[in-house]
Amino acid sequence: MKVEEVKKSLRGSIAPIITPFHEDESLDLDTLKSLIDWHIQSGSHGISVTGTTGEPSSLTLKERELVMETAIKAVNKRVPIVPGTGSTNHQESLHLTKLAQEMGADAAMVIVPYYNKPSQHALYKHFKLIADSVDIPLIIYNIPGRTAVNLEVKTLARLNEDCPNIIGVKESNKDFEHINRVLLNCGRDFLLYSGIELLCYPMLAIGGAGYISATANVLPSKVAEVYNAWDSGNVEEALKLHYDLMPLNDVLFKDTNPAPLKAALGMMGKINPTLRLPMDLPADSLQKEIRAVLADYGLVEKIGSEV
């Protein structure tokens, strides 16, 4: 698809899918394919893999390539697919983004490099060189809580001006003033996605294109319905769904993502709930709380102590 066609299609709930592992921590690609089918059948508007929720820093480069390839083939053009291709390493980010294009991804999501805390000038050069190396659209992923550096609006606006294929940003940024200024400075046609669950609905209200919400892993249909209701003009229904999802959103972020997600999906029978160290499943007390919330949503059966 051309850039403008992708911009029209990349709206709604783009589900950032976890990377499933077998009990021995090897990749479980069959389950990944099953999850993708479930998401598409449940109404997710797009698929993303190897973003923060996909534990990319726990994967080898070859494993990231394999997850991307498996996901792109599994999606099979049914919905847009946007793999995460960024890392702390510029050359690795460049390689993965080029590979995503070769594999047939509709776009790539490139995170602000984490740990090394680059300057705004260095961030501009990093993203500009990646954008210049490919033809597919790019979505920048700004998550200062993980990266320890915020991609400033003026830097993003400069990249938008200089790189026609940088079409949007995923903002996992609690500074809502910053988020408003993204559209003010980059233009209302710039694709703005929420990466914070409680801002998914508010982001739509200011002109956002959708969201890339980890909660979609657990309840993809309802997360997608928020956008569907908003897009159809049913604001009250969208707002109701926003508040309906809040207890689930809250419990899934009481430990570092994706640990609670994998615990929840394990309870639902969707995956073997395995993470790679230094990540691990939540403490037993939180797992009990997660199960109770899942039961409230009808996703697992209530147990005696929760009735």
Side-chain angles (χ1 to χ4, degrees), residues 166-200:
I166 292 181
I167 62 169
V169 63
K170 175 185 177 183
E171 284 284 357
S172 293
N173 195 328
K174 292 184 178 180
D175 183 349
F176 206 60
E177 181 179 342
H178 166 100
I179 291 167
N180 277 266
R181 294 189 185 282
V182 167
L183 290 183
L184 177 67
N185 288 272
C186 294
R188 297 275 296 280
D189 62 340
F190 195 64
L191 301 182
L192 175 65
Y193 305 94
S194 177
I196 292 182
E197 278 58 33
L198 295 190
L199 296 184
C200 289

Side-chain angles (χ1 to χ4, degrees), residues 269-285:
K270 293 290 185 183
I271 66 167
N272 183 332
T274 300
L275 296 95
R276 290 177 176 175
L277 291 171
M279 298 295 290
D280 198 6
L281 289 171
D284 290 344
S285 58

Side-chain angles (χ1 to χ4, degrees), residues 38-51:
W38 176 54
H39 273 276
I40 294 173
Q41 291 162 8
S42 299
S44 292
H45 304 100
I47 298 293
S48 182
V49 291
T50 58

